[in-house]
Amino acid sequence: MLVLRALGLGDLLAGVPALRGLRRAFPGHEIVLALPPGLREAALATGTVDTVFPAEAPGRGVPSLRGWPGPPPDLAVDLHGNGPESHDALAELCPRRLLSYARPEAALDAPPRWRDDEHERARWCRFLAAYGIPADPDDVALPRPAGPSLAPGAVVVHPGADSAARRWPADRYAEVVGRLRADGHRTVLTGGPGEDELCGYIAARAGLDRRDVLCGGLPFGELSALVAGAALFVSGDTGPAHLAVAHGTPSVTLFGPVAPHLWGPPSVDRHVALWHPGPPGDPHGTEPDPLLLHIAPHQVVTAATRAASAGWSRDGLEVAGHGR
């Protein structure tokens, strides 16, 4: 079976429930996941696939699969999107059977229809259900990493994001980190490649020790162990936030421009989604989204101290322990 989901870390982890459903439905198949090569370790750590096929394209485009080395797949599954491009990339390999939103099998009585207002995890589980494959959108847990945490019991703050639209201002993160430290919490920063300057600025403003700045892009195993061993994880709507959910680590996630009912955590008390209601914005915009900027540092600090609580609101901000 060849599954296409050549997107980022958050997309991979949001796809775990669907991948787990495929694993259960086809126990005799070798499952190959087509995704960017930098996500190989993360994909294998999910326990849902047997191997990976490197495939990537700029942005969120559809990669070519023409380098596929084997015979035509018995089954191909398009978990990449709803357009014909991803369907056609798989169809070029002449699989015996191909499951997709774009061109569903003619024999289906109720073919899957794409819904823009649906949570990402639920979208792909409903898609599989149309083909008679059960999957649970809340089935997100990952095995605990084997390696030790670099900062066990710390509060981990991840200020970066792939797009500026989802990046809360550095000064505000610095204020949150400083207040958490003042309350007696060891707090560490993480950042991906190219985010050293961002982390360095926040660390300097908040008075963090150099040992508590873990930037430059940790290998997935180290990042996974760090998040799994954290007391709390604080970030914007980005891939590592999904990792906190997968490890059951209490989390506070700052949403904007995309609402948590589309990409937020499952409905459990330990995960708090901060979101100021309003019209959706461009998730790939070049400036912080106005809805994200409505979130104030004191609200993040309050949510961090009450991450096990859900369903309360303050100052016009919706605070929910769910994303569905």
Side-chain angles (χ1 to χ4, degrees):
M1 180 194 307
L2 176 61
V3 182
L4 175 61
R5 193 163 176 83
L7 300 163
L9 176 62
D11 303 277
L12 166 65
L13 297 176
V16 163
L19 291 169
R20 201 158 274 151
L22 289 169
R23 174 86 284 173
R24 287 191 295 263
F26 299 93
H29 281 65
E30 178 186 9
I31 299 182
V32 181
L33 181 61
L35 84 171
L39 294 177
R40 178 181 184 278
E41 186 179 0
L44 296 178
T46 68
T48 61
V49 301
D50 297 299
T51 189
V52 300
F53 173 59
E56 60 184 336
R60 298 176 68 83
V62 177
S64 170
L65 303 177
R66 292 170 185 166
W68 174 250
D74 179 64
L75 176 64
V77 183
D78 181 5
L79 298 184
H80 190 86
N82 66 328
E85 296 86 359
S86 51
H87 171 99
D88 293 347
L90 288 166
E92 283 190 30
L93 303 181
C94 300
R96 183 184 65 83
R97 187 182 180 198
L98 199 168
L99 312 186
S100 78
Y101 265 117
R103 297 190 176 97
E105 292 182 333
L108 291 179
D109 292 332
R113 303 297 183 193
W114 185 273
R115 288 172 40 191
D116 288 334
D117 64 344
E118 190 169 26
H119 193 285
E120 183 72 4
R121 292 188 306 273
R123 168 180 292 131
W124 295 108
C125 291
R126 183 177 58 82
F127 162 74
L128 292 181
Y131 288 97
I133 302 169
D136 178 0
D138 287 339
D139 189 6
V140 297
L142 294 187
R144 191 170 183 86
S149 168
L150 296 172
V155 175
V156 177
V157 177
H158 185 87
D162 287 342
S163 71
R166 294 181 285 114
R167 201 176 300 135
W168 203 48
D171 285 341
R172 300 192 194 185
Y173 272 115
E175 182 176 342
V176 169
V177 171
R179 292 179 64 173
L180 289 171
R181 292 185 70 242
D183 288 341
H185 302 289
R186 181 187 178 189
T187 305
V188 303
L189 287 174
T190 62
E195 294 178 345
D196 288 7
E197 183 176 352
L198 171 65
C199 291
Y201 175 86
I202 295 170
R205 291 290 300 268
L208 280 184
D209 293 335
R210 181 176 298 180
R211 68 189 180 95
D212 291 331
V213 182
L214 306 172
C215 291
L218 292 174
F220 177 78
E222 291 185 13
L223 176 63
S224 185
L226 177 69
V227 174
L232 176 72
F233 187 83
V234 180
S235 76
D237 175 19
T238 188
H242 295 266
L243 193 56
V245 170
H247 287 315
T249 299
S251 66
V252 176
T253 308
L254 287 62
F255 281 86
V258 177
H261 77 269
L262 300 175
W263 277 92
S267 181
V268 292
D269 289 345
R270 71 178 71 93
H271 303 302
V272 177
L274 299 184
W275 160 250
H276 197 287
D282 177 7
H284 308 293
T286 58
E287 298 291 337
D289 185 79
L291 298 183
L292 182 63
L293 294 178
H294 279 303
I295 302 173
H298 78 271
Q299 295 168 323
V300 178
V301 173
T302 300
T305 62
R306 300 180 60 181
S309 299
W312 56 277
S313 64
R314 177 176 176 175
D315 296 341
L317 186 80
E318 289 189 355
V319 182
H322 60 83
R324 295 180 58 207

